[in-house]
Every structure is written in structure tokens, then in C-alpha cells.
Amino acid sequence: MDQFTLNWIFIGASFLLYIGIAIWARAGSTSEFYAAGRGIHPVTNGMATAADWMSAASFISMAGLIAFTGYDNSSFLMGWTGGYVLLALLLAPYLRKFGKFTVSEFIGDRFYSPTARLVAVICLIVASVTYVIGQMTGVGVAFGRFLEVSNTTGLLIGAAVVFAYAVFGGMKGVTYTQVAQYCVLIVAYTIPAIFISLQLTGNPIPALGLFGEHTASGEPLLAKLDSLVEELGFANYTGHHGDTFNMVLFTLSLMIGTAGLPHVIMRFFTVPKVADARWSAGWALVFIALLYLTAPAVGAMARLNLITTVFPEGTASAPIDYEARPDWMATWEKTGLLSFEDKNGDGKIQWYNDGSDAFAATATERGWAGSELTVNRDILVLANPEIAQLPGWVIALVAAGGLAAALSTAAGLLLAISSAVSHDLIKGAINPNISEKGELLSARIAMAVAIVVATYLGLNPPGFAAQTVALAFGLAAASIFPALMMGIFSKRINNTGAVAGMLVGLLTTLIYIFLHKGWFFIPDTNSFTDADPLLGTIKSTSFGAVGALLNFATAFIVSNATKAPPQEIQDLVESVRIPRGAGAAVDH
Amino acid sequence: MADNSSSNAYWAANVRIILVSLVIWAVVSFGFGILLRPMLAGISVGGTDLGFWFAQQGSILVFLALIFFYAWRMNKLDREHGVEE
């Protein structure tokens, strides 16, 4: 059976599973649609949260980014897991106790202001839509590669599938579908990693293999990798090369952004008790950590395998002939994401750091005229099983896993968007007397509109997926998280302070990103670049932490200059802090 | 009001646990993983140093321990103050 057929079988079977679950769990009432009737067990909820959280960025992109940069990209690992500590300690239990459906509902009630609720809804919609665009782009690329169809066709198929189960299933469908998706994606991520770890280190656990011994050379794996990359003029893998201050801010932005993203916070509304909300965050991180502890091993081992594929006789000897290259290189060349240019005309693939002055003399001496191989970082995880020459079914499994990661996140975000529009915007602001049926209908229409917009923008993305995702994180960090945290931990922050804080955080972050990435991502409209940022060494991706700080400061100053919140709001804060009575607050 | 003073003690205890947890959270990630890495350079772990391990794996394991500790400690605190569900 050829690879193409295998891919179709694995992807097709996994989709049938997801759609089957969505139909089986079709939602009835509005309460079931949004929060699955609050009957979800913490472990189940944790698994679904993990699938929701781990998107194409975690599955497809992250290990590749780590592989090519090494230590300096550890920010992704710490940032995208450390946010769960903030979520578990500072938000989840209290929001569950509050007992409403959406994040903006909490902000609207706590700050006793429809304006605050509206500002929160706008923040949520902007952050979620930009995040979905990135996912849809990922869906298109993965479908295109594995089904050997065009990017556009791949994207349209993906959009149709997300639409089907998110619209007809509601959150219950999504919750159980996401449990299935988690299983598919974690198996798909781990199996090739186990094979590769066994090949290189003899250790079946990739996370331990990373710090184990490279059996072929007898050296520690990371020491071997450091010496290999240095021999080709690259910066060493384990060293710290980037700016320290920016690395701290970037990590912090990712952490705060994680705790401010509505589709993740919403998960904690679906457990029965406050105590369960606490456990749920822990279980979510357990399931996330299974992938995140493996990812640095996948990255390091893929880099090592890539170097030994190109230089089978060692980095001091000649690299392989282009004509003798492995099949996977030829396959990826078709997508344009991997390319070879024979600069010195010797028919061999020289791959080294031609930007390094220290290495230039060695390169000239060997007759090398520039690095001839270009590898897109995003293909590394998908190409990984092929690089390690694993069987065809493993490759097909990775394809299904990558799609599960992208689709599950897209579906969770769509749900957050639809409830923001129908529940907060329409029922909360435009037509408070809307019937339950009407509300459900408008939720589904909102979802359909959101997916059409996301698909359209996914076809014509405003920038690279990573840029769009960075915007989503920065916005969530700068706007939502501070408002939620202050709403729980301070009784003094009032309506004016919260609205001013959110607006300052949102706008400064948005403007800083636009100044560096172009206004509304239109190319060449930027005034600065991330290589030479406006403020010191702060890149636009790291600005979310600064925006959050400005939000906190503004809210604090404005609140203290204006009137304290009324007594009933202070009582509300008091009641949110105490777990007792959460069950009674469900209906409203 | 007796009720109120009990809930104030509960909240103060909660905030104390959160603060201690967040200090540990910051020390393992921003500290050991980034800023204090040069200090840990002498301790070698599998071909590199302890700071690299904290940045890529260690901090994640500590985060996990922190969340489960907090859940366990708070559920106990809820019962001590009689505010559990």
C-alpha cells in the first residue's frame, strides 16, 4: 500500500471518529451547549483542555523552532506550560464559583458595567479570531501535504469538518471529540519520538533520551549535537545567545497569555465543583506535559538526524550527493518548504552557517560557496518520521495527529467566539429578551460566520501563522488576564478603572505590534522591525507582558482616583472567594 | 461578625499559599531557567548544565507539582475553615 493511501485511511478514520462522537453527543439546551451541563469529570476535562490548548503551533511548529535554535527557544516550553500555574492559582477556582457561562459575563458583573462587558467581548473576539486564522492556515498546509491536494482545497475540507462538529455538537460534542483528538495527537507525537530515541540513545523514553548517551559516538547526546552544529559554524545548541531581558518578557507574555485565552478559561466552567476546577488545571497540565517534555527531545534528535543525513561520513568529510538524497527530501521539495541550490556546482549538498564570519575561512578552504539547503522549520515534526526512516503507518499517524491538533483548537476557539457573540453581545447588550432557541440559533450563526471569516483570512493570511498567534497571546495577556485577576483579588478596582486598564493594555499592545509587523499586517507599513525594536530589546512578540503591566497600573491609579465599588459588588467578590455554594449558582 | 473573620483568615491563608507557590514558579523558570543559569553552570546534567534542564524540562515538572500541591492544600484549607462544598 502506498503512502498516499495510508494517509487517507488514517486521516479518514480519525475524522469519522470525531464526527461520530459529535453526533452521539448532540446538545439540547443552551446550558448543555455552552458548558456541557457542567457534568464533566476533572480528568476528562483536563484531557479535553489539553487538546484544546495544543494547536498546530505546539504540535507542528514548536519542536522545529527548538531544533533550529536550541536553548534560546525554551521560552515556548516554559511559557506555554507556566501559564497553567497562573490559571490554577489565580483564576480557575474563582471563575467556577462565580458560575456563569463566559469570561466577559464575569467582567460585566464584577465591574457592574455593560461597557466593561462589551470591551471584554471585543478583546475576546479579536484574540480568538486571530488565533483561529493561524490554525486554519496550519490545517491547509498539513492537508495539502498529506492528501497531496492544494493548500486551498485542504483548507476548505478542514473548514467543513470543523464547522460540522462545532456547530452541531456544541461543547459536549467538542469535549468528547477533543478527548478523542487528544488521544490521537499524543500517540502520533510520541510513537515516532520513541522509535527515534531508541535508534539514537537506546532509551525508550524520549524525554530521558535527550539527556542520555548517543550510542553511536559514546558521548552525551547534547554534547554530540553541540559539537556537530559548531563544526558547521552554527551557534551551539545548549548555549544562551539571545537577549536575556527579551527572553524573560517573551516567556512572561506567553504565560500570561495562556491564562487569558478565553477558550482555555471556559474549560473550567464545565466541572461540577470548585475543588474540581483546581484538580482540572493540574490534569490539563499532565496531559500537556506529556507532549511538552517530549518536544525538546524531538527537536534535538531531529537536528542531529538532519546533520547526519546530509553528512553521513561526519562533518569533516564531503556531504551527500544531491542525486543520492533520501526520498523524503524529494517529497518535501515539491511543497517548496525544502529547497536545494547547487551554488558551487559540485552536485553535493553543503549545509552550514554561511552567516558566520568565524566559519567563512573553513568554508572557502573546502570550496563551499554558501549554504545550499534551505529547510522550513515548520516541516520538521511532520518530516521527522521520514527522516528517521520509520514505517509508512507512523507517517500517516503523524498526519492525523497534526490535523487533530489544529482542528481541536479551532473548534474550541469557535465555541468561545460563538458564545461571546450570542450570549454577551446579543443577549447581554442588544436583545436581553431573546428566547433560548433564538440564542442557540444565533450562537450557531456566529460560529458559521466566524469560520467563514477565518477560512477566508486563512486563504489570504495577514502574516505568518506565528505572527498571528503572537498577536492573539499578546492581546489576551494585556487585556483579559489583568481584568480577571484584579476582579478577584481586589475589591477596590471599580468599573472606570477596569475599562481604562483593558483599553490601555489592548491598544498599546495592538499599536506596538502593528508598528513592527505593519498596520493590520499589511506589508511595508511597519516603522520598526523586531531586529531593531522601538523600545530597547523588546520585540513585538514580547510586548504582551508590558501591556499587562500598563493595564494593572492604569486600573489601579484610575480606581483610586474614583469612587469605590458599591457594597453589593464587594459582597460578590467576597462570595467568589469562598467555594461553598458553587452548585447553586449554576442557573441564572 | 464571626463568619466574616473566619473567611478573612481563610482568604489570608489562601493568599499566603499563592504567594509562596508563585515565588517557586518564578524561581524555577525565570530564575534557574534563564537569569540564574550561569550560577548553575557547574552542575552538569547529560552533556549540558542544570539550567538547560530547568529551561526545557525541570520547570514543567515543578509547575505540575505546584498545581497539584495547591489543589490538595486548598481542599484541606476549605475543610479547616468549613467552606468546602
Side-chain angles (χ1 to χ4, degrees):
Chain A
M1 199 182 292
D2 66 353
Q3 189 60 49
F4 182 71
T5 321
L6 265 179
N7 290 346
W8 266 109
I9 292 173
F10 272 72
I11 294 171
S14 60
F15 276 17
L16 282 180
L17 179 71
Y18 310 147
I19 294 169
I21 293 172
I23 292 169
W24 166 70
R26 269 189 64 171
S29 73
T30 37
S31 157
E32 266 183 45
F33 184 79
Y34 294 120
R38 292 195 207 276
I40 311 258
H41 190 272
V43 176
T44 316
N45 194 50
M47 214 182 257
T49 311
D52 217 344
W53 171 240
M54 291 191 290
S55 65
S58 294
F59 189 97
I60 297 173
S61 190
M62 190 175 64
L65 288 170
I66 295 168
F68 283 87
T69 324
Y71 168 81
D72 285 342
N73 269 337
S74 304
S75 294
F76 290 105
L77 294 164
M78 290 186 285
W80 282 342
T81 53
Y84 277 85
V85 177
L86 299 178
L87 202 52
L89 272 53
L90 304 176
L91 303 181
Y94 315 107
L95 293 178
R96 172 63 196 90
K97 170 63 198 294
F98 180 68
K100 294 287 176 71
F101 290 130
T102 65
V103 170
S104 32
E105 218 167 357
F106 173 79
I107 291 179
D109 284 11
R110 163 62 184 86
F111 298 110
Y112 48 100
S113 149
T115 318
R117 183 168 173 173
L118 210 63
V119 171
V121 171
I122 291 164
C123 298
L124 295 183
I125 292 173
V126 172
S128 303
V129 169
T130 46
Y131 206 158
V132 178
I133 298 164
Q135 298 306 314
M136 294 315 287
T137 316
V139 168
V141 172
F143 263 109
R145 163 67 185 83
F146 288 106
L147 301 180
E148 296 174 24
V149 294
S150 74
N151 188 9
T152 311
T153 318
L155 186 54
L156 293 176
I157 296 172
V161 173
V162 175
F163 179 80
Y165 72 67
V167 168
F168 295 112
M171 190 125 178
K172 192 158 188 182
V174 175
T175 300
Y176 291 110
T177 321
Q178 289 185 331
V179 169
Q181 278 165 335
Y182 176 77
C183 298
V184 171
L185 84 84
I186 198 68
V187 168
Y189 202 83
T190 326
I191 286 186
I194 291 173
F195 275 118
I196 294 165
S197 180
L198 277 171
Q199 284 173 353
L200 290 176
T201 66
N203 196 321
I205 301 169
L208 300 177
L210 175 65
F211 295 94
E213 188 181 87
H214 181 230
T215 37
S217 65
E219 290 176 58
L221 182 90
L222 285 166
K224 177 69 187 169
L225 182 57
D226 268 348
S227 62
L228 278 178
V229 295
E230 280 177 353
E231 282 159 22
L232 294 172
F234 294 106
N236 67 352
Y237 191 83
T238 57
H240 182 19
H241 311 286
D243 180 72
T244 309
F245 180 58
N246 183 63
M247 186 177 178
V248 168
L249 276 188
F250 182 45
T251 310
L252 189 61
S253 294
L254 294 180
M255 285 177 174
I256 305 177
T258 301
L261 278 172
H263 70 293
V264 175
I265 300 175
M266 265 180 82
R267 282 282 164 205
F268 298 97
F269 296 119
T270 62
V271 292
K273 288 194 295 184
V274 172
D276 295 331
R278 295 180 185 133
W279 291 121
S280 231
W283 284 112
L285 191 56
V286 166
F287 296 118
I288 290 166
L290 286 177
L291 190 143
Y292 273 64
L293 292 172
T294 308
V298 169
M301 289 173 187
R303 181 86 179 270
L304 191 94
N305 272 335
L306 202 55
I307 294 174
T308 49
T309 304
V310 177
F311 293 91
E313 311 290 328
T315 47
S317 310
I320 53 165
D321 287 330
Y322 177 66
E323 292 308 323
R325 72 194 184 284
D327 289 342
W328 67 265
M329 279 196 182
T331 327
W332 279 100
E333 272 177 75
K334 287 183 208 153
T335 64
L337 297 172
L338 182 144
S339 59
F340 170 71
E341 185 197 346
D342 197 359
K343 289 178 182 163
N344 64 352
D346 67 350
K348 292 177 184 299
I349 303 175
Q350 277 96 32
W351 180 44
Y352 66 102
N353 182 9
D354 50 11
S356 159
D357 293 335
F359 193 71
T362 320
T364 316
E365 192 185 306
R366 293 183 186 174
W368 295 357
S371 187
E372 299 175 347
L373 187 70
T374 313
V375 186
N376 183 305
R377 291 165 192 208
D378 285 352
I379 74 169
L380 210 72
V381 169
L382 296 178
N384 204 20
E386 301 172 279
I387 300 174
Q389 298 168 345
L390 299 179
W393 65 269
V394 180
I395 297 166
L397 187 63
V398 171
L403 290 171
L407 291 174
S408 61
T409 306
L413 286 161
L414 284 172
L415 194 89
I417 295 166
S418 78
S419 53
V421 171
S422 71
H423 205 70
D424 298 316
L425 212 59
I426 296 180
K427 192 175 181 178
I430 299 170
N431 178 11
N433 301 322
I434 192 168
S435 68
E436 190 167 287
K437 214 169 181 180
E439 196 188 337
L440 204 60
L441 182 70
S442 60
R444 285 173 179 169
I445 292 171
M447 218 181 235
V449 171
I451 200 161
V452 169
V453 172
T455 307
Y456 176 75
L457 291 171
L459 288 169
N460 307 287
F464 290 118
Q467 294 173 333
T468 343
V469 168
L471 174 65
F473 271 87
L475 287 172
S479 59
I480 300 299
F481 176 81
L484 290 174
M485 191 186 156
M486 288 183 295
I488 296 160
F489 285 84
S490 163
K491 288 185 197 167
R492 186 62 184 80
I493 301 296
N494 61 19
N495 49 358
T496 332
V499 171
M502 280 193 285
L503 286 175
V504 166
L506 179 74
L507 292 176
T508 49
T509 309
L510 204 57
I511 290 170
Y512 198 82
I513 290 171
F514 282 161
L515 280 174
H516 291 75
K517 302 286 187 190
W519 291 88
F520 301 97
F521 295 113
I522 297 164
D524 302 323
T525 57
N526 57 317
S527 319
F528 303 91
T529 63
D530 273 339
D532 187 19
L534 171 62
L535 296 174
T537 55
I538 306 172
K539 295 185 183 185
S540 59
T541 44
S542 313
F543 196 80
V546 180
L549 193 70
L550 293 173
N551 184 339
F552 277 120
T554 309
F556 181 79
I557 294 167
V558 172
S559 294
N560 278 296
T562 44
K563 233 171 61 182
Q567 189 55 42
E568 71 261 25
I569 294 300
Q570 304 198 20
D571 292 344
L572 172 80
V573 176
E574 202 60 60
S575 87
V576 161
R577 293 175 177 183
I578 308 284
R580 174 157 285 175
V586 169
D587 290 313
H588 63 286
Chain B
M1 234 160 69
D3 254 341
N4 206 9
S5 72
S6 158
S7 72
N8 283 343
Y10 168 79
W11 186 248
N14 178 20
V15 170
R16 231 177 3 255
I17 297 166
I18 290 174
L19 282 177
V20 171
S21 304
L22 286 184
V23 167
I24 299 170
W25 164 81
V27 165
V28 295
S29 53
F30 302 109
F32 296 164
I34 304 176
L35 297 168
L36 304 176
R37 190 179 171 204
M39 276 174 56
L40 303 174
I43 308 165
S44 84
V45 176
T48 178
D49 55 87
L50 190 62
F52 182 89
W53 180 77
F54 265 107
Q56 301 223 323
Q57 289 184 344
S59 53
I60 300 176
L61 295 171
V62 177
F63 296 156
L64 269 176
L66 276 177
I67 296 179
F68 280 107
F69 163 77
Y70 181 75
W72 167 80
R73 187 67 189 81
M74 282 308 289
N75 293 344
K76 206 173 105 180
L77 193 74
D78 287 353
R79 284 190 299 276
E80 283 166 13
H81 288 263
V83 294
E84 81 280 8
E85 286 177 74

